[in-house]
Amino acid sequence: MTSSTPHINPNSVPIAETVLLPGDPLRAQFIAENYLTNVQQFNGVRNMLGFTGEFKGQQVSVMGTGMGIPSASLYTWELIHVFGVKRLIRIGSCGGLQPDLSLFDIVVASASSTDSNFMNQYNLPGTFAPTASWSLLSAVAQEANRQGVKLNVGNVLSSDVFYNFDSTAHQRWADMGVLAVEMESAGIYATAAQAGSEALAVFTVSDHIFNGQETTSQQRETAFTTMMELVLPVAAS
């Protein structure tokens, strides 16, 4: 499909049915330049860079989403409903909440709790629990096994708040077994679920909420290679 929206203007460059979604548009560019071949840029609106290329002969796209559920779900909705995307794989950073998580560990969100009001729009008679696509999750697990990569699979918190006024909030989520905190996956999962598309979120631990460990901004842009090398074979399958 070659339509356009106020936020995505492909200029006749194709968008693949599987799209990787880093938050940082520069990480999208890094992935395209270092992992894909025959790359074409399909978006530059608002500098939210998007690229389509090939990985092992299969067409794959990668595009930044910005930070937070409103931004990520906006791009997810348009990619699905306007451009026909079927599978969306969020690749990003997260803050560890559990003591056994270390920097650069891989977290896969089988479910995504949230403090956002995003789900209210669906007017459901209860609380919707956004979950990952099992086919994507199991494929990443199989790829991790092939590569010898340890996965931490479980619930994450998709939060609207980066600087939380309530200093006790993260501990209460951790007490419920939530692995890590990030800011986009619940919106992506819910948007995909409503549309009948598949979604998965895979993260690299960039910092730990309780012990103060953290990576640099440069590392967050270019050093999270294990995560990328796990999802690309799945995206191209």
Side-chain angles (χ1 to χ4, degrees), residues 50-69:
F51 304 88
T52 297
E54 294 181 358
F55 184 82
K56 296 185 177 180
Q58 299 298 312
Q59 193 175 73
V60 176
S61 293
V62 56
M63 180 182 180
T65 65
M67 295 179 67
I69 287 174

Side-chain angles (χ1 to χ4, degrees), residues 4-24:
S4 64
T5 73
H7 313 101
I8 304 174
N9 184 10
N11 291 314
S12 298
V13 174
I15 299 176
E17 288 192 350
T18 301
V19 181
L20 306 183
L21 298 175
D24 184 353

Side-chain angles (χ1 to χ4, degrees), residues 146-169:
R146 280 192 288 270
Q147 295 186 26
V149 174
K150 177 189 174 184
L151 297 183
N152 301 274
V153 181
N155 202 354
V156 303
L157 168 64
S158 193
S159 180
D160 276 351
V161 183
F162 192 87
Y163 298 107
N164 201 320
F165 178 78
D166 181 355
S167 61
T168 70

